[in-house]
Amino acid sequence: MLLPKKIIWVILFAYSIFSQSAYAKKLVIAHRGASGYLPEHTYSGAVMAHASGADFLELDVVMTKDGHLIVMHDLTLNATTNVEEVFPERKNEKGKYQVIDFSLNEIKLLKVHERSSRTGKNSAFPQRFPIGYQLFEVPTLNKMINLVKGLSKSTGRMMGLYIELKAPEFHRKKKMDPVLALLKLMNNHGFHEATDPVFIQSFDSNTLKKLRYQHKTRLRLIQLIGENRWKISSTDFTYLKSEKGMNEVAQYADGIGPWMNQLVTGIDFSGNAQITNLLKIVRQKDLIIHPYTFRADRLPSYVSSFDELLAVFFNEVDVDGIFTDFPDKVVCFLESNSTN
């Protein structure tokens, strides 16, 4: 008897997560793909993330003028594409090129390059892929999902999807609804249940509540935790980090994605991690914890190596998984430390 494609994917996902070894219990989430080696949010970066052994592929999504979901971290195109060369006259009064001002057909004319620095002149990560190489196209979410499905079929190893809705409040002000667009796409691909290989994440608590209470989604939801000073959402992150706030989060979300510095502030004189009270609060609510972002080329001051940083978070903090630009290095660490 032939099994439906949906059942085959669920079986592959369960096998890839639970039947390899003890380390597989800790999730390796490829942050924007294998972005330590290839430009972020590219089809090639997704393929490399899969080949590296990542359990999930993190994908940020924003909407085009004509309502398509594309895979892009920023609301603007400046930092990661050649938009200034292709559409020099389309910048706004602030010198920015907003994704929402371009149609999908126009987006398809662009090439993706390594992320530039805030000044826009040099690479944000000088040791990574050369910024002058413009070899990649801007992915749509639909095609990226098809790519991941194709890799799962051809290799027999599942890599799940970890999708962030970028700036839902901004989109709503523009009369666009990325929530509905995402749910429609998930439905088209057969993703409805908590057992499906999908997480949806957002910094905006109202969006996650809407997904859970209004749209009644059963997909797993993750509340990203930022800092109020970042001004990325009207969500009060200081409140969310409190016991009362985390009680509220536990009603609509399956876990949190905190900034790594919100869990660990350093190493004390005895060599032990200085772990914040947030960990205790979250564990009391039985929420999963997936902190961001672990980069081998941008270490916090309290460690001298990437492995040392991973040891702190996996062995002392005991997180359930991490977002990383270097999925291969994390997989290697976990394989070498089988207690994880």
Side-chain angles (χ1 to χ4, degrees), residues 129-178:
F129 199 84
I131 194 171
Y133 294 0
Q134 299 178 0
L135 308 175
F136 312 95
E137 61 184 280
V138 178
T140 64
L141 180 58
N142 185 53
K143 286 186 177 180
M144 189 66 88
I145 294 172
N146 284 333
L147 173 63
V148 172
K149 282 185 170 182
L151 289 169
S152 299
K153 182 178 184 296
S154 62
T155 66
R157 193 189 76 80
M158 169 60 58
M159 179 172 66
L161 306 167
Y162 211 122
I163 302 169
E164 180 183 348
L165 285 158
K166 298 298 293 187
E169 295 166 293
F170 168 84
H171 286 90
R172 286 195 292 268
K173 290 177 182 177
K174 298 289 186 177
K175 310 299 183 184
M176 307 291 280
D177 194 342

Side-chain angles (χ1 to χ4, degrees), residues 15 69 72 87 177 205 218 222 229 255 260 272 298 306:
Y15 178 82
L69 290 173
M72 175 77 55
F87 297 104
D177 194 342
S205 60
R218 294 186 293 274
I222 299 294
R229 68 178 185 273
M260 59 193 298
N272 299 314
R298 191 160 290 181
F306 194 50

Side-chain angles (χ1 to χ4, degrees), residues 12 48 50 63 80 83 143 165:
L12 283 173
M48 187 169 185
H50 185 280
M63 294 194 84
T80 57
V83 65
K143 286 186 177 180
L165 285 158

Side-chain angles (χ1 to χ4, degrees), residues 171-190:
H171 286 90
R172 286 195 292 268
K173 290 177 182 177
K174 298 289 186 177
K175 310 299 183 184
M176 307 291 280
D177 194 342
V179 172
L180 281 179
L182 179 59
L183 287 177
K184 181 180 179 180
L185 188 59
M186 293 294 98
N187 184 66
N188 290 344
H189 282 280

Side-chain angles (χ1 to χ4, degrees), residues 27 29 56 161-163 192-202 204-205 207-209 211-213 216-225 240 245-258 281-291 319-321 323:
L27 296 184
I29 306 159
F56 280 84
L161 306 167
Y162 211 122
I163 302 169
H192 322 95
E193 306 295 336
T195 53
D196 289 329
V198 175
F199 285 98
I200 298 176
Q201 59 176 339
S202 180
D204 184 44
S205 60
T207 293
L208 294 176
K209 291 174 185 176
L211 278 161
R212 186 67 81 209
Y213 301 137
K216 308 294 184 182
T217 185
R218 294 186 293 274
L219 294 172
R220 288 171 291 180
L221 304 180
I222 299 294
Q223 174 67 64
L224 291 171
I225 309 291
L240 288 190
M246 207 52 65
N247 274 333
E248 185 176 317
V249 170
Q251 300 305 307
Y252 61 84
D254 299 276
I256 65 166
I281 294 173
V282 176
R283 287 307 186 201
Q284 287 174 343
K285 313 307 173 189
D286 198 28
L287 293 165
I288 58 177
I289 306 175
H290 295 157
V319 296
D320 303 294
F323 293 89

Side-chain angles (χ1 to χ4, degrees), residues 9-208:
W9 193 339
V10 171
I11 292 172
L12 283 173
F13 178 67
Y15 178 82
S16 66
I17 293 297
F18 297 114
S19 69
Q20 294 175 40
S21 63
Y23 88 88
K25 292 185 293 185
K26 303 290 188 181
L27 296 184
V28 179
I29 306 159
H31 181 247
R32 310 179 201 171
S35 54
Y37 304 102
L38 288 165
E40 65 185 62
H41 289 328
T42 57
Y43 296 120
S44 299
V47 172
M48 187 169 185
H50 185 280
S52 298
D55 298 304
F56 280 84
L57 173 66
E58 194 244 2
L59 302 165
D60 301 297
V61 295
V62 298
M63 294 194 84
T64 62
K65 181 170 63 176
D66 46 350
H68 293 275
L69 290 173
I70 65 168
V71 182
M72 175 77 55
H73 177 268
D74 299 353
L75 295 175
T76 56
L77 296 159
N78 300 57
T80 57
T81 78
N82 64 338
V83 65
E84 294 177 75
E85 298 173 13
V86 181
F87 297 104
E89 76 289 351
R90 296 282 293 279
K91 61 185 176 183
N92 62 21
E93 65 277 3
K94 296 182 179 180
K96 299 296 184 181
Y97 297 81
Q98 291 190 317
V99 173
I100 208 165
D101 291 333
F102 292 81
S103 69
L104 180 58
N105 283 337
E106 290 172 326
I107 294 290
K108 287 180 178 179
L109 299 175
L110 305 178
K111 293 295 183 182
V112 175
H113 56 68
E114 183 65 36
R115 174 170 288 275
S116 63
S117 63
R118 292 185 182 276
T119 63
K121 296 179 180 179
N122 303 305
S123 174
F125 298 92
Q127 302 305 314
R128 297 190 182 183
F129 199 84
I131 194 171
Y133 294 0
Q134 299 178 0
L135 308 175
F136 312 95
E137 61 184 280
V138 178
T140 64
L141 180 58
N142 185 53
K143 286 186 177 180
M144 189 66 88
I145 294 172
N146 284 333
L147 173 63
V148 172
K149 282 185 170 182
L151 289 169
S152 299
K153 182 178 184 296
S154 62
T155 66
R157 193 189 76 80
M158 169 60 58
M159 179 172 66
L161 306 167
Y162 211 122
I163 302 169
E164 180 183 348
L165 285 158
K166 298 298 293 187
E169 295 166 293
F170 168 84
H171 286 90
R172 286 195 292 268
K173 290 177 182 177
K174 298 289 186 177
K175 310 299 183 184
M176 307 291 280
D177 194 342
V179 172
L180 281 179
L182 179 59
L183 287 177
K184 181 180 179 180
L185 188 59
M186 293 294 98
N187 184 66
N188 290 344
H189 282 280
F191 299 137
H192 322 95
E193 306 295 336
T195 53
D196 289 329
V198 175
F199 285 98
I200 298 176
Q201 59 176 339
S202 180
F203 284 103
D204 184 44
S205 60
N206 288 331
T207 293
L208 294 176

